[in-house]
């Protein structure tokens, strides 16, 4: 999603791929918590997605263990899921999809 040359897979050579390898791509944002993901975590990530892409391509948010979001965090994410900014991708992982709010699940494409 972030590679500047990708057709089907990333090239590994462009600036975006090099930044990904270094773990410092400015348009990749991740939320991960050993406990619960709170509303402040979600609001901070949404704020980062609201601006333009720093490298002129896509913006990506990965929410690891999205099933650990508090109800208020999940509700804060809904509007962005419904109306994302251009070239914005949100990937949610969950070990228990049943624990996600039905409103979250209805706005996402499920991949197994």
């Amino acid at each position: 999603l972030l590679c500047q040359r990708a057709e089907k897979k990333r090239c590994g050579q462009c600036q975006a791929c090099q930044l990904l390898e270094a773990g410092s791509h400015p348009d990749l944002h991740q939320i991960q918590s050993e406990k619960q993901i709170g509303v402040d975590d979600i609001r901070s990530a949404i704020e980062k997605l609201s601006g333009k892409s720093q490298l002129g391509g896509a913006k990506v948010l990965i929410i690891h263990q999205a099933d650990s979001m508090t109800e208020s965090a999940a509700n804060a994410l809904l509007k962005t899921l419904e109306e994302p900014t251009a070239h914005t991708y949100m990937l949610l992982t969950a070990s228990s999809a049943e624990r996600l709010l039905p409103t979250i699940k209805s706005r996402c494409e499920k991949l197994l």
Side-chain angles (χ1 to χ4, degrees):
L1 294 172
L2 294 169
C3 178
Q4 295 165 328
R5 298 182 195 163
E7 290 183 22
K8 291 190 179 189
K9 61 181 183 174
R10 64 187 189 106
C11 73
Q13 311 239 335
C14 68
Q15 179 188 17
C17 286
Q18 291 174 358
L19 288 169
L20 279 170
E21 283 294 320
S24 59
H25 196 295
D27 297 318
L28 174 63
H29 310 286
Q30 298 189 58
I31 298 175
Q32 190 164 9
S33 176
E34 292 183 22
K35 297 182 181 179
Q36 284 190 319
I37 296 172
V39 68
D40 291 336
D41 298 318
I42 296 297
R43 287 182 180 150
S44 175
I46 290 169
E47 187 176 318
K48 292 173 185 172
L49 293 176
S50 65
K52 287 189 173 186
S53 165
Q54 292 197 24
L55 295 183
K59 297 172 288 186
V60 176
L61 170 63
I62 302 172
I63 303 175
H64 300 275
Q65 297 302 327
D67 51 338
S68 71
M69 284 188 291
T70 63
E71 187 173 346
S72 56
N75 286 326
L77 183 63
L78 283 175
K79 182 168 174 61
T80 304
L81 283 174
E82 291 172 350
E83 302 171 13
T85 55
H87 307 292
T88 300
Y89 299 90
M90 290 172 271
L91 308 171
L92 284 65
T93 68
S95 56
S96 176
E98 304 84 47
R99 292 181 38 209
L100 290 169
L101 289 179
T103 50
I104 295 285
K105 291 192 288 189
S106 69
R107 288 161 177 83
C108 296
E109 182 179 337
K110 296 174 194 156
L111 304 173
L112 300 175

